[in-house]
Amino acid sequence: MDLAFLHPLYERPGPWASVYVDTSRHTESTTPHERSLLAQEASRQLAEQGADEATCAAVRAAMEELRFSSDLCGRALFANGGEVVLDPSLASVPLAPLSTTWGMLPRVAPLLDLVGEDPLVLVAYIDRTGAHFELRSGGSGPEDAGSVTGSRQWPMHRTSSVMQWSERHFELKVENTWAQNAAEIADALDSCQQESGADLIILVGDERERAYVHERIAKRLLGCTVQAPHGTGSRLLDEDVERLRAQHVHQRAAGELDRFLSARSPDDEGRVGAVEGVPALVDAARQHQIDELLIRMDGPDAHREVWIGESPDMLAVKQADLKAVGQEHTWSARADDALLRAAVATGAPALSMAAAGPGDTPSGGLGALLRWS
C-alpha cells in the first residue's frame, strides 16, 4: 500500500484520536437516534482515555454525519486538536462495531487490512479492428478510458475453403492485419497504463485476438497483465473484476514474501536485504533503510512497545536509548504504528501479509525489505 495519503497525520504532534466504525449495519431502518448513540459512545470512550473535549466533539460531529454516507463497510476517523484530519472509507468491515484509541501516534496499522490493496484495473475489450478501454476501481463503476482503432481495417476474416495459392496469400494478409492492429493496441495500452497508473490490466476478447495483443505488450506490463475468458463484445461483471483483483493482490503479497525470504540471506558483500523482529526493524528505520514494510496484524511483535521521539526516525526499543541521543521528549507507542510513521516519512510502502495466506513469516509479524544507498 502506498502510504502517502497518511502524511497529514504526521504533520502535527500528537496525541491523536483514532476511531474505526462499522457502517455495514446502517440501513434505512437505522434511526438517527441510534447513530447518535454510537457517536456519543465514541466520544465517551475517547474522553475516558484522556482526549480533550474539542477533539471528542469533532469526532462526535463527524460520526453524526455518517448517516449521510454511502460507505458499505466502515470509516476510520483520525482527529487532533479539535479537528478530524483524515477519514478514509474502509473496504472491509472492522472486527468490532466501534473501536477507539487515544495515543501519541494515530492508530493506522489496521488500515492495511481494512483499506487494503486497491489496485486500479485497466480493462481492454479487444477485437480485430481495435480496442475499447475502461478503468475499474473498488466501489465504483466503469470509467471510459478511450479507445484505439487499428490503422489496417482490411482484410479481417480468414477463408474457410480448401487453400489454393491465392487463398494462402489472402490468409497471410489477414495475419499481417491482425498483427499490425495488435501492435497498435499494445502501444495504446502502454500509454493508457502510464497515464492512468493502473496496477492491473485485463485483456478481454476472443482467445486468438487476446493472444496477439499479449505477445506484443510491453515487457514491463507482462507481470500485471491477465486474460479473461470472455468473447468479443462481452463486458466483465463486477464479480469477474473483483476475482481477478483479489488474485492479483494475493500474487503480489506472495511474491513480496518470497522476495523477503530470499533477501534474508547475505549477499556477496555480506549484506542482508531483509530483516525481521523489532530490534532489527527499529535499527533499519533509524537509518532510513526500510524499502518496504511487511506486517501481519496478528503477529505478537505488532503490538510490542517501542519508544518514539518527535521525529519519525527517532525510535528505540528502550527509552534510555533515545535519552542517550539527546531526545528530551519521548513516548511509548505500538511497534507497528511507529514503524509505519517511519515508512511514511521515507516514502516506503507497506504490505499486509494477510493477503499472502496463513503463515508465521516474517517472524513476530514484522519484517522489511531494505534499501542500501
Side-chain angles (χ1 to χ4, degrees):
M1 176 190 289
D2 184 349
L3 303 176
F5 75 102
L6 296 178
H7 269 291
L9 302 184
Y10 304 112
E11 292 172 352
R12 55 175 79 185
W16 285 87
S18 304
V19 179
Y20 290 84
V21 57
D22 176 2
T23 60
S24 68
R25 295 177 172 84
H26 290 189
T27 65
E28 292 182 359
S29 62
T30 305
T31 67
H33 178 64
E34 289 173 312
R35 297 189 180 102
S36 181
L37 288 177
L38 190 63
Q40 291 175 31
E41 176 62 15
S43 177
R44 184 190 66 79
Q45 290 182 14
L46 289 170
E48 287 183 349
Q49 296 174 53
D52 60 276
E53 184 177 347
T55 299
C56 291
V59 168
R60 184 169 60 252
M63 288 188 62
E64 293 274 9
E65 291 297 312
L66 288 181
R67 65 183 183 273
F68 302 114
S69 79
S70 57
D71 296 328
L72 297 178
C73 297
R75 185 77 68 90
L77 305 169
F78 301 99
N80 168 282
E83 177 187 2
V84 173
V85 178
L86 192 67
D87 61 342
S89 296
L90 306 180
S92 299
V93 176
L95 293 177
L98 175 69
S99 65
T100 61
T101 307
W102 176 252
M104 285 305 298
L105 291 182
R107 180 79 183 101
V108 297
L111 292 176
L112 294 184
D113 285 335
L114 296 177
V115 173
E117 294 289 300
D118 185 22
L120 179 62
V121 179
L122 173 60
V123 183
Y125 297 101
I126 300 165
D127 60 30
R128 296 169 185 174
T129 63
H132 175 73
F133 304 143
E134 68 180 22
L135 291 171
R136 300 279 195 101
S137 60
S140 62
E143 176 186 341
D144 184 18
S147 61
V148 58
T149 301
S151 60
R152 301 187 66 174
Q153 298 296 303
W154 185 92
M156 284 294 169
H157 302 284
R158 295 171 174 272
T159 61
S160 58
S161 59
V162 178
M163 280 201 179
Q164 301 297 326
W165 180 89
S166 59
E167 292 170 342
R168 176 59 180 161
H169 183 65
F170 183 85
E171 292 290 321
L172 290 174
K173 285 187 176 180
V174 171
E175 295 283 347
N176 289 338
T177 298
W178 288 6
Q180 177 65 34
N181 288 349
E184 293 177 16
I185 293 170
D187 287 343
L189 263 176
D190 193 338
S191 298
C192 191
Q193 188 279 329
Q194 290 187 61
E195 183 177 343
S196 65
D199 306 289
L200 174 65
I201 297 173
I202 304 176
L203 305 181
V204 183
D206 288 339
E207 181 177 0
R208 189 175 184 86
E209 293 158 2
R210 285 188 276 115
Y212 262 81
V213 174
H214 193 268
E215 289 169 1
R216 291 158 179 79
I217 205 165
K219 288 184 178 180
R220 70 178 186 85
L221 299 179
L222 288 175
C224 64
T225 301
V226 297
Q227 301 185 49
H230 289 259
T232 303
S234 64
R235 285 294 180 264
L236 284 185
L237 300 176
D238 289 343
E239 51 263 39
D240 295 324
V241 176
E242 288 309 306
R243 175 178 53 81
L244 292 170
R245 280 160 55 97
Q247 290 177 1
H248 173 75
V249 170
H250 167 73
Q251 290 169 1
R252 168 167 150 67
E256 290 302 279
L257 181 57
D258 287 343
R259 193 160 73 96
F260 170 82
L261 294 174
S262 298
R264 291 186 303 181
S265 300
D267 61 15
D268 294 340
E269 299 179 13
R271 301 185 306 188
V272 295
V275 293
E276 56 194 341
V278 172
L281 285 163
V282 163
D283 186 57
R286 292 182 65 169
Q287 299 182 57
H288 300 181
Q289 285 185 308
I290 293 179
D291 193 50
E292 183 176 40
L293 192 61
L294 309 180
I295 297 180
R296 285 191 183 273
M297 294 302 301
D298 57 354
D301 281 352
H303 54 76
R304 182 171 165 179
E305 181 186 66
V306 297
W307 290 87
I308 61 170
E310 294 177 352
S311 64
D313 58 359
M314 282 292 101
L315 64 166
V317 174
K318 298 178 181 179
Q319 185 181 24
D321 294 339
L322 288 181
K323 296 290 187 180
V325 294
Q327 286 292 298
E328 182 180 355
H329 302 292
T330 61
W331 304 271
S332 65
R334 286 180 58 116
D336 51 5
D337 288 326
L339 289 167
L340 281 165
R341 180 178 72 149
V344 170
T346 58
L351 190 63
S352 169
M353 286 291 96
D360 56 1
T361 304
S363 178
L366 298 176
L369 289 156
L370 302 182
R371 59 169 70 120
W372 292 92
S373 56

